[in-house]
Amino acid sequence: MSSEADTTSLAREERPEAEARPAEVRSRRVTLITGASGGIGADLARVFARHGHDLALVARSGDKLEALADELTAAGTPRPLVIAADLTKAGAVAEVAAVLKAAGASPGILVNNAGFGLLGEAFKLDAKEQLAIADLNIRAVMEMTLTFLPAICAAQGKILNVASVAGYFPGGPGMAAYYASKAFLLSYSRALHQELRGLGVTVSAVCPGYTATGFQMRAGINTRAALAQFPSTTALEVAEAGYKGLMAGRREIVPGFFNRLTVLLLPFLPKPLLLSIVSRLQKNRPL
Ligand SMILES: NC(=O)c1ccc[n+]([C@@H]2O[C@H](COP(=O)([O-])OP(=O)(O)OC[C@H]3O[C@@H](n4cnc5c(N)ncnc54)[C@H](OP(=O)(O)O)[C@@H]3O)[C@@H](O)[C@H]2O)c1
């Protein structure tokens, strides 16, 4: 990285006429999407690409991101920047920023989509794995946001946070860290929505309910369990609703009629009842 930067400044000193080139390159404004290697993130990339956005895609699986970049390029969009990074690792966000800078790209839109959950009781699950939920679903979202906010403000851009219907519940026994992380994300998004609106920046939280993706496998959710039998949305439906809501500047977007009804009714139901229902549903027993 540093040697590349040094070479660039040297070249500029030697050839002042080359000044125009970096300025031109620097103008590449991208939509930066985390967790784009599969599920909702990959469909968000497809939807943004269809609407003419130049993309930068982040996830750990560089090979899957390259395959998606191939697909989008074949469909006629500029080749997305591919950044393989594990966002739970210290320094990963700085790495993403460095790759963007080296490519002369700057995010006008940030989509914080990468996230995961774990089914099981907190006292039984591996502590390190549970802490990784906080690292990815909370810490990485904050660090991405704070790192790229100056660029997004300058562009009067947008932030889309992929939260969850889980964020509206009083708690998630059987998936405690995940529900809490999404409640954080929803709260954080609402606050930033209010703080940044005066600067021409909109922040939206899209809150999906059950959506069949790689999420269930990673979380250990039995797809034959009661939890999985409620009306669900597809990843593409979530991505399309998220895109539409973001562009309309909406604070919260809940895709799917069943999910909207759930969110509408939750404030009227007693917390002990809700906690007991969630606890039963998260038992993961096949119907
Ligand atoms: N599916 C649902 O029912 C549902 C419901 C509500 C909310 N959500 C939320 O939707 C978002 C997307 O989830 P999904 O359903 O699409 O699940 P998914 O198919 O498992 O996708 C998760 C994405 O996050 C990436 N990711 C995971 N760990 C990462 C890490 N340490 N660093 C960087 N990227 C990482 C994954 O790529 P790599 O593995 O290549 O890193 C993948 O691209 C999550 O925030 C999730 O909480 C999902």
Side-chain angles (χ1 to χ4, degrees), residues 34-41 58-62 64 85-88 112-117 136-137 162-165 178 182 207-216 218:
T34 69
S37 65
I40 294 167
V58 182
R60 292 169 303 177
S61 315
K64 290 185 189 164
D86 182 342
L87 293 173
T88 61
N112 287 308
N113 165 74
F116 81 106
L136 185 62
N137 299 13
V162 182
S164 170
V165 163
Y178 180 72
K182 293 301 177 177
C207 302
Y210 192 96
T211 308
T213 61
F215 179 87
Q216 286 76 25
R218 185 154 188 211

Side-chain angles (χ1 to χ4, degrees), residues 3 15 21-22 34-35 56 81 84 95 97 103 107 114-115 123 150 165 172 183 201 203 215 217 241 245 267 271 276:
S3 66
R15 295 184 298 120
R21 202 165 55 88
T34 69
L81 282 170
E95 239 173 71
F123 73 97
V165 163
V201 174
V203 180
F215 179 87
M217 168 101 89
K271 284 191 179 77
S276 156

Side-chain angles (χ1 to χ4, degrees), residues 188-214:
Y188 190 61
S189 299
R190 286 176 181 141
L192 290 191
H193 176 93
Q194 189 66 27
E195 283 184 11
L196 295 170
R197 60 192 303 175
L199 298 176
V201 174
T202 55
V203 180
S204 303
V206 62
C207 302
Y210 192 96
T211 308
T213 61

